[in-house]
């Protein structure tokens, strides 16, 4: 018989316990995502209400994000912030999942209405890279350990704090970038979010179009794909873009 009279840890364990886990378990951090319909020995468990010790990083309620396929010559989904609610941020976070065979493409780009500030996630020769400018010079961070244009499902997590940033691909180790010198810290007057490429209003063309699937995009709490799916008047879809009912985990 199993003696299970200890504490049940859901989603992870205390940081000092990871070294005590069985060797086949390689995790060094807890689960991120949604859990639902949890049953133990036939009894339904509500983690939010039944937990002995709660965590501020856990909240009740899961929302399944929509996924989009960008095909043909590509397409772009744009979101425009209201003119009176264009955020100035000292820190940003961007998470998403994607599948692609493209070598070079822009996945997401955010631009300022008042300056040359921007943030852009792209594939360059299959390598994932994020570049941003806060008013002085371009800063970039990338994961050169492997190419991600392999038709497989990949998850990207990016965080910026002033000029410093971290990037994590899938379950790989976080990459940290702390640029030398003095830099500005605020991304000013964010006005436009573009997904799938960069639309050139003058030429009426799409630059570096993405082909593949993107899902679960969350930028500072904003979900542009979900807003586009809900036909928000702040979003616009151009080109060969369609929603998917399921995510193909092998896109080769």
């Amino acid at each position: 018989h199993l003696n299970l009279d200890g504490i049940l840890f859901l989603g992870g364990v205390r940081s000092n316990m990871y070294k005590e886990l069985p060797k086949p378990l390689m995790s060094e951090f807890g689960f991120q995502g949604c859990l639902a319909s949890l049953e133990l020995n036939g009894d339904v468990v509500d983690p939010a209400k039944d937990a002995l010790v709660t965590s501020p990083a856990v909240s009740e309620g899961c929302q399944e994000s929509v996924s989009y396929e960008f095909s043909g010559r590509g397409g772009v989904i744009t979101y425009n912030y209201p003119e009176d609610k264009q955020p100035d941020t000292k820190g940003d976070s961007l998470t998403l999942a994607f599948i692609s065979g493209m070598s070079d493409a822009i996945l997401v780009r955010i631009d300022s209405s008042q300056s040359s500030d921007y943030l852009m996630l792209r594939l360059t020769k299959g390598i994932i890279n994020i570049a941003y400018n806060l008013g002085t010079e371009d800063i970039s961070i990338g994961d050169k350990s492997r190419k991600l244009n392999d038709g497989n499902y990949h998850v990207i997590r990016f965080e910026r704090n002033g000029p410093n940033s971290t990037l994590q691909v899938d379950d790989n180790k976080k990459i940290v970038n702390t640029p030398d010198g003095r830099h500005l810290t605020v991304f000013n007057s964010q006005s436009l979010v573009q997904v799938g490429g960069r639309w050139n209003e003058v030429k009426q063309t799409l630059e570096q179009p993405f082909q593949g699937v993107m899902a679960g995009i969350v930028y500072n709490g904003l979900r542009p794909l979900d807003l586009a799916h809900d036909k928000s008047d702040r979003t616009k879809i151009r080109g060969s873009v369609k929603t998917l009912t399921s995510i193909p985990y092998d896109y080769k």
Side-chain angles (χ1 to χ4, degrees):
H1 297 283
L2 289 173
N3 182 10
L4 300 177
D5 57 356
I7 297 175
L8 168 66
F9 291 89
L10 182 63
V13 296
R14 289 190 292 264
S15 58
N16 62 352
M17 295 175 61
Y18 281 103
K19 294 181 180 180
E20 301 175 6
L21 296 176
K23 290 184 178 180
L25 297 177
M26 304 297 292
S27 296
E28 295 181 354
F29 54 89
F31 170 78
Q32 294 180 344
C34 284
L35 293 175
S37 303
L38 178 63
E39 292 188 13
L40 296 175
N41 293 330
D43 295 328
V44 177
V45 177
D46 187 338
K49 296 178 180 179
D50 299 337
L52 297 175
V53 180
T54 58
S55 169
V58 178
S59 59
E60 188 173 3
C62 291
Q63 180 180 1
E64 184 177 355
S65 181
V66 66
S67 59
Y68 275 89
E69 181 180 16
F70 299 75
S71 58
R73 295 184 177 180
V76 63
I77 297 174
T78 59
Y79 172 85
N80 287 277
Y81 284 97
E83 291 186 5
D84 59 342
K85 294 182 179 180
Q86 295 182 353
D88 302 322
T89 59
K90 289 187 177 180
D92 299 305
S93 65
L94 173 65
T95 60
L96 61 86
F98 79 94
I99 306 170
S100 181
M102 294 286 290
S103 177
D104 299 277
I106 294 174
L107 282 74
V108 180
R109 183 180 172 102
I110 301 97
D111 285 284
S112 167
S113 63
Q114 303 296 325
S115 68
S116 59
D117 291 5
Y118 77 93
L119 187 152
M120 179 170 61
L121 171 67
R122 62 186 174 184
L123 284 167
T124 304
K125 295 182 179 180
I127 300 297
I128 201 70
N129 174 275
I130 292 187
Y132 51 98
N133 191 313
L134 306 175
T136 51
E137 63 182 10
D138 286 355
I139 302 170
S140 64
I141 182 172
D143 186 343
K144 300 179 181 179
S145 63
R146 60 178 294 195
K147 293 185 177 182
L148 303 184
N149 60 331
D150 54 7
N152 294 319
Y153 185 85
H154 296 289
V155 177
I156 306 298
R157 301 178 182 91
F158 167 81
E159 292 187 357
R160 177 187 71 84
N161 182 10
N164 306 323
S165 59
T166 63
L167 174 66
Q168 184 178 24
V169 176
D170 300 328
D171 291 331
N172 298 345
K173 184 178 179 180
K174 276 187 179 181
I175 297 170
V176 179
N177 183 25
T178 306
D180 297 329
R182 300 184 64 180
H183 299 271
L184 298 177
T185 61
V186 178
F187 185 174
N188 293 294
S189 304
Q190 298 172 36
S191 63
L192 176 64
V193 178
Q194 299 183 82
V195 178
R198 184 183 185 188
W199 180 254
N200 188 317
E201 285 288 353
V202 176
K203 297 180 180 180
Q204 291 291 293
T205 57
L206 184 61
E207 299 174 353
Q208 290 188 266
F210 171 83
Q211 290 182 356
V213 175
M214 275 192 273
I217 298 179
V218 182
Y219 174 69
N220 294 343
L222 181 77
R223 297 174 176 266
L225 299 186
D226 299 71
L227 290 170
H229 183 260
D230 294 338
K231 302 188 186 310
S232 166
D233 58 4
R234 308 225 58 89
T235 64
K236 185 174 183 179
I237 300 178
R238 292 184 175 97
S240 301
V241 183
K242 68 177 182 179
T243 56
L244 295 179
T245 56
S246 61
I247 299 176
Y249 282 80
D250 189 337
Y251 201 68
K252 295 179 181 178

